[in-house]
Amino acid sequence: MTGDADADAGAAGVSDVVPPLRLAEVTKRYEGGGGTVTALSDVDFAVGTGEVVAVVGPSGSGKSTMLNLLGLLDDPTEGRVELHGEPVAGRSERERTDVRRETIGFVFQDFHLIPTLSAVENVRLPTAFLPADATDRAVDLLERVGLGERLEHTPDELSGGQKQRVAIARSLINEPDVLLADEPTGNLDRDTGVSVLEEVRAIAAGGVGVVAVTHDDLVTEYADRTVELVDGVLRDA
């Protein structure tokens, strides 16, 4: 009987953990010439510490809108975006920028690397206006993703998979709690995609929550959980 009680207490403890990032009953509408478009409808979503969540769905289903809200790049029409249980609404743009830099890392399908900068320079770029020199951390991150011998290479000297690894390293430079990835394997062949996703799993194992928006079934194989958006409605896949 005691064992059952302990198990129940443990389960309650897990459920009481506040996720680093959450959408709470979020609806997002856009007004256009053709009327009102509901991009998201009553979405409740959270990513846990160390969890990899894949978000799938057809084009136009609301995935990009959801990613923009999670990234604090847009505001919901209704509902709340929460960071560590605290609502984001009411914060100034400067406060949002600061908390975004400190809390959220971004990885894009097209890498978004600066072509004239080396791998190290690209990785440390998000820290450009901070007082501390992040070169050592940038080097360490590149070594972690297997690019220790490519530190001074510019993007045109790197393969697609290597560019994505630089982008992943860059997203981690400020030690974020959550990594948001938009089609992280979209421009990669399968073998390279597997290599990148193994790195994503390693990042999650270090305590970072990962949300990957994708059309690629390979990504779902590496996710702890997959959710599907259809016409703005979120459900378990």
Side-chain angles (χ1 to χ4, degrees):
M1 188 70 176
T2 302
D4 291 341
D6 289 343
D8 290 343
V14 170
S15 65
D16 289 342
V17 173
V18 176
L21 189 56
R22 181 188 178 202
L23 302 181
E25 300 176 344
V26 160
T27 293
K28 180 63 178 180
R29 301 186 189 93
Y30 295 100
E31 301 294 336
T36 301
V37 174
T38 301
L40 294 178
S41 180
D42 199 26
V43 167
D44 207 337
F45 170 84
V47 57
T49 300
E51 181 185 30
V52 179
V53 184
V55 182
V56 302
S59 296
S61 61
K63 299 191 302 300
S64 295
T65 298
M66 182 173 170
L67 204 64
N68 286 339
L69 290 169
L70 288 168
L72 312 186
L73 299 172
D74 202 356
D75 291 316
T77 307
E78 298 171 9
R80 305 182 309 283
V81 181
E82 298 177 355
L83 278 173
H84 297 290
E86 296 295 326
V88 175
R91 302 191 189 193
S92 68
E93 190 55 42
R94 176 60 183 271
E95 289 172 329
R96 286 171 182 249
T97 299
D98 288 344
V99 76
R100 188 185 303 122
R101 183 180 63 240
E102 295 164 1
T103 308
I104 302 170
F106 295 88
V107 176
F108 305 98
Q109 177 179 353
D110 295 323
F111 319 128
H112 289 193
L113 302 179
I114 305 300
T116 57
L117 299 183
S118 69
V120 167
E121 291 169 334
N122 266 289
V123 171
R124 75 183 186 202
L125 189 61
T127 70
F129 297 104
L130 300 179
D133 185 348
T135 300
D136 288 347
R137 176 162 172 76
V139 170
D140 177 64
L141 287 168
L142 286 168
E143 289 175 345
R144 277 177 51 187
V145 298
L147 293 177
E149 298 180 355
R150 299 286 188 273
L151 302 178
E152 299 304 324
H153 288 226
T154 55
D156 65 352
E157 298 173 312
L158 301 173
S159 68
Q162 290 169 338
K163 291 176 186 177
Q164 191 62 297
R165 287 171 180 270
V166 172
I168 289 172
R170 179 185 59 193
S171 74
L172 299 174
I173 191 68
N174 286 322
E175 302 182 73
D177 298 318
V178 176
L179 182 66
L180 302 180
D182 186 7
E183 299 287 358
T185 60
N187 287 330
L188 307 177
D189 61 68
R190 183 176 177 85
D191 289 343
T192 305
V194 166
S195 180
V196 165
L197 289 169
E198 287 175 349
E199 186 57 43
V200 168
R201 288 291 338 172
I203 290 166
V208 178
V210 180
V211 180
V213 168
T214 185
H215 287 98
D216 187 355
D217 290 340
L218 180 64
V219 176
T220 66
E221 295 178 20
Y222 283 80
D224 298 303
R225 179 164 57 97
T226 299
V227 296
E228 183 179 20
L229 266 174
V230 178
D231 294 331
V233 177
L234 189 71
R235 64 191 184 195
D236 291 335

